[in-house]
Amino acid sequence: MTKVLFLLSAVVMVVAGFFSYQNRDTFVKARQERQAADASTKSEMVKLKNEAGIVVGLQGDVDKVTGEITNETERLNQAKIKLRNVQAEADRSQDQLKVAQEKINAYKQELTNIPPGFSVETINEDINKLKQSIADGEAQVAKIQEQVTAKDGELKKVQDTVNDIKERIEARKKSFDRNSLVSTIIAVNNDWGFVVVDGGTDKGITPETSLLVTRGTQTIGKLKIVSIAGSKTVANIDQKSLRSGLSVAPGDRVILETLYR
């Protein structure tokens, strides 16, 4: 019995050894295939990680580019707004330029009526010279008229007028005793609005002097000096200062405004 059991055991061991030897190659081959699969899997995982990193980087680049596109779009919109504003301003400037050009053309048309010898640059000086020339002419006319009057037998009337003026001057000396200047208007040009006074530097008149025109005890108005000679002054009439209903006339007296005050 013992021998039978021993033999059975030996047979089992032999059979087991045979199957074990037979399956060893299969086991080794399976293990090698698993190791190769694991290595391939690890390699693929590494590739996936690398590709994932690249994707993350690309996503960051996409976000950055998207932000830049948004910023550039906003800048473009702002630029369009500025362009519209500039265009509107340009249109307004063009309208203003058109209006200014029309005014310039109107002024040029008016300037065609300027007398020969006048220019825009010296028009004020030319007008003053013309006033001076007119004043000289009218002063000469006044003198000639006086001569004609004397020749026509009007000397007595003139003398009476002079005497009357002297009497009035004497009567007003008390109220104007502080006034060192007493002159007379010898000519008036109402068209140009100026007068000729029979006093100049010889009576202390300067360009800064302020003059008043008086008649009797009334103040008629004020004068603005244009030019001064030795014994003659040309002055514009200050129209705003004229007393209502009155106008400056030859024979009116001229005094210093500062001394009168």
Side-chain angles (χ1 to χ4, degrees):
M1 186 64 179
T2 302
K3 290 181 178 181
V4 173
L5 292 174
F6 179 76
L7 288 173
L8 288 174
S9 297
V11 171
V12 170
M13 290 178 64
V14 170
V15 172
F18 173 76
F19 282 108
S20 174
Y21 177 80
Q22 187 178 9
N23 292 328
R24 180 176 64 84
D25 293 336
T26 303
F27 176 75
V28 170
K29 184 178 180 181
R31 185 174 62 183
Q32 289 176 346
E33 290 177 354
R34 188 186 67 185
Q35 290 176 348
D38 290 342
S40 177
T41 300
K42 289 181 179 180
S43 177
E44 292 299 325
M45 288 296 293
V46 171
K47 289 181 180 180
L48 288 175
K49 287 182 179 179
N50 292 335
E51 291 176 355
I54 293 172
V55 170
V56 171
L58 290 175
Q59 185 62 44
D61 293 340
V62 169
D63 293 340
K64 181 178 179 181
V65 171
T66 301
E68 291 176 351
I69 291 174
T70 301
N71 292 336
E72 290 301 323
T73 301
E74 180 63 24
R75 291 194 187 100
L76 180 60
N77 291 334
Q78 293 296 327
K80 288 181 178 178
I81 293 173
K82 289 182 180 179
L83 180 60
R84 288 196 295 269
N85 292 338
V86 170
Q87 186 63 46
E89 185 64 28
D91 292 340
R92 285 194 295 270
S93 299
Q94 187 65 31
D95 293 339
Q96 293 174 356
L97 179 61
K98 183 178 179 181
V99 173
Q101 188 61 49
E102 291 175 353
K103 289 183 179 179
I104 290 173
N105 293 335
Y107 292 150
K108 287 182 178 179
Q109 183 63 33
E110 292 179 2
L111 290 176
T112 58
N113 299 322
I114 294 179
F118 280 69
S119 66
V120 177
E121 293 78 8
T122 61
I123 190 166
N124 289 331
E125 181 180 353
D126 292 337
I127 289 175
N128 288 335
K129 287 181 179 179
L130 184 59
K131 286 183 177 181
Q132 182 64 51
S133 177
I134 293 174
D136 292 341
E138 291 193 351
Q140 293 177 1
V141 170
K143 291 180 180 180
I144 294 173
Q145 186 63 45
E146 289 178 0
Q147 294 173 0
V148 172
T149 302
K151 290 179 182 180
D152 290 341
E154 296 292 333
L155 180 60
K156 184 179 183 302
K157 183 178 179 180
V158 172
Q159 189 61 48
D160 291 340
T161 302
V162 171
N163 292 336
D164 181 64
I165 291 173
K166 287 181 178 180
E167 291 175 359
R168 283 187 289 164
I169 290 174
E170 292 298 327
R172 295 183 62 195
K173 278 185 178 179
K174 292 183 180 180
S175 60
F176 294 98
D177 59 350
R178 292 182 300 165
N179 195 336
S180 62
L181 169 67
V182 177
S183 296
T184 306
I185 293 176
I186 59 175
V188 178
N189 187 307
N190 291 316
D191 292 335
W192 288 83
F194 71 94
V195 300
V196 180
V197 180
D198 68 341
T201 55
D202 60 340
K203 292 190 177 182
I205 297 176
T206 68
E208 292 76 24
T209 303
S210 296
L211 301 176
L212 290 179
V213 180
T214 64
R215 183 182 301 157
T217 59
Q218 285 186 321
T219 298
I220 304 299
K222 299 180 181 180
L223 302 178
K224 295 181 179 180
I225 295 175
V226 174
S227 64
I228 305 171
S231 60
K232 182 173 59 179
T233 297
V234 177
N236 288 330
I237 301 171
D238 186 353
Q239 300 295 335
K240 293 181 180 180
S241 68
L242 287 177
R243 186 181 292 272
S244 178
L246 297 179
S247 61
V248 178
D252 287 341
R253 314 308 290 173
V254 177
I255 65 173
L256 291 175
E257 180 182 8
T258 53
L259 293 178
Y260 176 68
R261 290 176 179 174

